[in-house]
Amino acid sequence: MASAPDADLKTVVLNDRHLAAGGRMVPFSGYSLPVQYPTGIIAEHKWTREHAGLFDVSHMGPSFLVLDRKSGDGEADHAAIAAVVEPLCCGDIKGLKPGQVRYTLLLNEAGGTHDDLMIARPAAEGWGGALYIVVNAGTKEADFQRIASAAAGRATLNRSDHCALLALQGPEAAEVIRTLVPGAPELGFMHYGSFAWRETHLVISRSGYTGEDGFEILVDPEHAEALWDLLLADPRVRPIGLGARDSLRLEAGLPLYGHDLDETISPVEAGLNFAISRRRRERADFPGATRILAELGGVLGRVRVGLEVEGAPAREGAEIVDAAGTSIGQVTSGGFSPSLGRAIAIGFVPPDFAAPGTRLSVLVRGRTQAATVVPTPFVPHRYVRKASS
């Protein structure tokens, strides 16, 4: 976890709820956030895999990018707003269907990654020429500045990070949310919508960061506590902290910005080829295209791999060595997998060492421990890819 003096930390809307629930607060991305509750990280992790976990991710950067002048033609307005952000990223934003969410990456001119983010096209009539954008907490100020600069004179970026953003994740999440917002479970994976709730509207996407089915819910500050309380009143739901959020995303093989992604790492190196949309590849019209297209063609020095580690967990920074003891890479994320009962890790190695079954070693506190390259995700994803009936 990042560290910062307490006086410098921001608090989220639900800070008092976390304290009342016994949350152990730690500094993270400039905020004071709960790393765990009294039941502990392993119990929280397993509860999410078996039932429904409720995460407060209000430190993230939700926003709405809206055209300053709309034509009234929904498709034309969508093409215009897509043209604002496409020069910054590698995703086909123009090709989004109404209500669709796309994972993409903001890239630098060298093909490295400024951030990974979600960009969505509203489905509601009257919202043509707008995009819902959620960026990472640690990079949001730079991301917002980058997007706002690109939009100058054409569109306005309206930040919503004063609101609460909740993530309800787990196999029982759909049935839980159905009791409060009956239409939400009709969303398919990576789709979103706006739903009336009490005297407000909730922006809900079927997405998340655990590998489980689930929903991310944006709610205004005035209604955040009521929504949090109602969700936790359901016996299938428990509050979950940052510790289990990290172990869940690691099992799901999902990269964490600042660790498995950074300004030097390309989408291809990170194994995120799917995020480089076909139309953008064909046009080579995204930042770092020369490097990235060459990497797609096989000119690649390192790739992200999953590792099963024998013995103690190999944490970030641990060296990865080959059979001869030569250092060939580093672990970027690692820990104990509560679902598998063993240590797992993500790291970068040359392509010649990336095949599943390759035997390597990691150096943990001066000790050499055996490790095997394995496919990711370590634990299968359970996303719902079609709207439920």
Side-chain angles (χ1 to χ4, degrees):
M1 301 297 173
S3 61
D6 287 351
D8 295 336
L9 294 178
K10 300 176 184 178
T11 57
V12 293
V13 174
L14 293 166
N15 183 71
D16 290 348
R17 287 296 193 269
H18 302 313
L19 294 174
R24 183 160 72 85
M25 310 302 283
V26 299
F28 184 79
S29 294
Y31 286 81
S32 177
L33 295 168
V35 67
Q36 67 180 73
Y37 296 89
T39 54
I41 292 172
I42 290 179
E44 291 173 23
H45 179 114
K46 291 182 175 180
W47 185 268
T48 305
R49 288 275 184 248
E50 296 167 4
H51 303 287
L54 183 61
F55 303 75
D56 185 352
V57 292
S58 304
H59 58 299
M60 301 288 284
S63 64
F64 293 87
L65 184 67
V66 184
L67 281 180
D68 291 336
R69 291 171 294 280
K70 298 182 183 182
S71 69
D73 180 328
E75 289 302 321
D77 286 340
H78 174 66
I81 197 68
V84 173
V85 295
E86 281 197 350
L88 306 177
C89 68
C90 56
D92 181 3
I93 308 307
K94 182 180 178 182
L96 284 172
K97 296 179 174 60
Q100 186 178 12
V101 182
R102 178 151 289 151
Y103 172 86
T104 188
L105 301 102
L106 296 177
L107 300 175
N108 59 38
E109 291 302 321
T113 306
H114 287 308
D115 195 14
D116 59 338
L117 69 162
M118 298 287 197
I119 301 181
R121 177 181 178 180
E125 290 186 13
W127 275 90
L131 295 171
Y132 176 44
I133 300 173
V134 182
V135 301
N136 277 308
T139 56
K140 70 178 176 181
E141 297 302 331
D143 290 350
F144 284 153
Q145 182 177 7
R146 191 170 287 114
I147 295 168
S149 295
R154 294 184 288 169
T156 299
L157 184 70
N158 299 307
R159 294 175 61 154
S160 296
D161 54 337
H162 63 289
C163 297
L165 186 62
L166 309 181
L168 182 68
Q169 302 282 293
E172 295 181 335
E175 291 309 309
V176 169
I177 203 167
R178 189 186 301 278
T179 65
L180 300 181
V181 188
E186 304 310 312
L187 294 168
F189 177 60
M190 295 297 277
H191 285 75
Y192 93 110
S194 177
F195 297 86
W197 183 73
R198 294 192 169 183
E199 300 85 24
T200 188
H201 280 79
L202 306 176
V203 175
I204 303 177
S205 64
R206 197 161 196 165
S207 60
Y209 196 47
T210 61
E212 296 291 335
D213 182 28
F215 303 83
E216 293 193 343
I217 310 162
L218 183 68
V219 57
D220 63 66
E222 293 78 11
H223 294 87
E225 290 185 349
L227 180 60
W228 177 266
D229 292 345
L230 276 173
L231 288 168
L232 286 180
D234 191 306
R236 295 168 291 189
V237 182
R238 289 183 183 175
I240 311 296
L242 292 172
R245 185 171 187 255
D246 190 55
S247 59
L248 288 158
R249 74 89 194 168
L250 179 59
E251 288 186 347
L254 301 175
L256 175 62
Y257 192 83
H259 302 262
D260 316 301
L261 281 171
D262 62 29
E263 294 277 353
T264 72
I265 297 172
S266 76
V268 183
E269 290 177 324
L272 301 174
N273 298 18
F274 71 90
I276 312 165
S277 299
R278 180 178 177 180
R279 179 175 66 85
R280 308 301 304 280
R281 296 187 196 194
E282 292 173 348
R283 298 190 179 192
D285 63 350
F286 54 89
T290 299
R291 169 191 173 183
I292 289 170
L293 293 175
E295 290 178 342
L296 287 169
V299 183
L300 195 59
R302 60 180 177 176
V303 291
R304 184 167 68 99
V305 296
L307 298 170
E308 286 189 353
V309 178
E310 297 180 18
R315 306 291 183 180
E316 180 181 1
E319 280 190 76
I320 304 172
V321 300
D322 64 14
T326 302
S327 178
I328 59 169
Q330 276 194 339
V331 168
T332 51
S333 289
F336 177 77
S337 164
S339 300
L340 302 175
R342 65 174 71 99
I344 58 175
I346 289 171
F348 286 81
V349 298
D352 289 347
F353 296 90
T358 302
R359 298 286 291 173
L360 300 170
S361 297
V362 293
L363 302 183
V364 180
R365 300 188 189 92
R367 301 191 305 273
T368 301
Q369 296 180 193
T372 304
V373 176
V374 296
T376 57
F378 299 96
V379 173
H381 295 164
R382 295 197 285 187
Y383 304 130
V384 173
R385 297 195 176 272
K386 293 183 180 180
S388 57
S389 58

